[in-house]
Amino acid sequence: MTSTETAGQPGNSSGSPSQHAETDRDAAPQFVLPLVARVERAEPPARTDALETAARAVLVLLSDERSAGDGEWAEAVRAWQDARIRKVVRRARGAEWRRAEALPGITVGGDRAEVRVYPPVPLDGWPKDLARLQVSGTELDDPQPPKAPAEGLPVLWLNPELEMSAGKEMAQAGHGAQLAWWELSEEERATWRAAGFPLAVRSAERTHWEALTRSGLPVVRDAGFTEIAPGSCTVVADHPALRKTLPRALPR
């Protein structure tokens, strides 16, 4: 589903795209980051696995050398980050997936999930093999409740009061991962990347959610184009390195 990040709580790095003036970001040409989830009819991935894989796919794209400096994707990535941070998750299976894999991008695997991320494209400039893929109807379940995240693991906490489709949540998890990435130092980014971008996506406890949104950690606020109301807080990006800058640690 389409999802657009509008603003994040400022963290420990200055000049991050999350601190651009809203009017500047709205006036800029609008791009979108395409993500395609492999959802085979007989063996769909578990929901949490798909969410975590989508979040890591965004990080892999952001950290790829082609996205920086004079890299072949760098201009598109910069244009995308100068505007609203739109992400669209589509699904593919069988021959659709094989065609999607043939396009320039990066496939990231989870436990069983596979998500392919592509360099940003203009809103009306999708490659035809991606534009024809389905957006709505991506519904996934967890066979068993996910375990509590390991101590010290970055966690993208979902708002427990919102109901979103799996595709919408995948996009939101990607937003949260991106806000965390923006706020980390170069050294912290390199450490996270070297470890393979470990992270967890979990629904927060209702009693914990309010504290998270007021903690100073990056918060995703949705533009409200689909499924939920504008300004809804959807994800809090809880990275251990970002907790160090806060007045006090939050309880897990």
Side-chain angles (χ1 to χ4, degrees), residues 19-112:
Q19 298 178 35
H20 287 183
E22 199 67 23
T23 52
D24 293 343
R25 299 178 69 194
D26 288 334
Q30 299 296 303
F31 284 71
V32 61
L33 186 77
L35 297 109
V36 175
R38 184 177 186 181
V39 183
E40 299 291 347
R41 195 182 306 275
E43 294 183 294
R47 188 182 186 102
T48 297
D49 187 17
L51 299 182
E52 293 172 351
T53 304
R56 288 194 296 108
V58 172
L59 294 167
V60 168
L61 184 284
L62 290 171
S63 65
D64 192 281
E65 61 184 11
R66 289 168 289 185
S67 298
D70 296 323
E72 61 184 289
W73 298 343
E75 185 176 354
V77 170
R78 284 193 293 269
W80 169 60
Q81 293 193 120
D82 283 344
R84 287 181 177 268
I85 309 304
R86 298 174 184 259
K87 298 178 182 71
V88 172
V89 178
R90 297 176 183 262
R91 71 179 191 273
R93 62 171 61 98
E96 294 174 332
W97 175 254
R98 291 190 291 273
R99 286 193 293 269
E101 275 207 305
L103 297 175
I106 307 169
T107 297
V108 176
D111 182 16
R112 295 180 63 177

Side-chain angles (χ1 to χ4, degrees), residues 46-59 142 144-150 153-160 164-178 192 197-205 209 212 234-238 252:
R47 188 182 186 102
T48 297
D49 187 17
L51 299 182
E52 293 172 351
T53 304
R56 288 194 296 108
V58 172
L59 294 167
D142 282 315
Q144 297 179 346
K147 298 178 180 178
L153 191 68
V155 182
L156 305 174
W157 295 107
L158 297 170
N159 185 338
M164 295 180 278
S165 67
K168 179 77 171 182
E169 284 192 345
M170 289 170 71
Q172 298 297 315
H175 293 339
Q178 187 167 0
W192 201 11
F197 294 120
L199 57 84
V201 179
R202 297 289 188 273
S203 182
E205 295 290 339
W209 177 249
L212 281 167
T234 58
V235 177
V236 174
D238 185 2
R252 277 283 172 88

Side-chain angles (χ1 to χ4, degrees), residues 130-214:
L130 299 185
R132 64 178 56 158
L133 297 176
Q134 292 292 320
V135 179
S136 61
T138 304
E139 292 305 330
L140 303 171
D141 297 310
D142 282 315
Q144 297 179 346
K147 298 178 180 178
E151 186 68 28
L153 191 68
V155 182
L156 305 174
W157 295 107
L158 297 170
N159 185 338
E161 299 179 353
L162 294 177
E163 291 188 9
M164 295 180 278
S165 67
K168 179 77 171 182
E169 284 192 345
M170 289 170 71
Q172 298 297 315
H175 293 339
Q178 187 167 0
L179 290 187
W181 176 260
W182 280 345
E183 301 303 332
L184 295 172
S185 68
E186 289 299 328
E187 181 180 359
E188 290 162 346
R189 290 178 179 181
T191 298
W192 201 11
R193 180 184 183 186
F197 294 120
L199 57 84
V201 179
R202 297 289 188 273
S203 182
E205 295 290 339
R206 292 179 184 272
T207 55
H208 188 196
W209 177 249
E210 185 175 352
L212 281 167
T213 59
R214 297 180 178 181

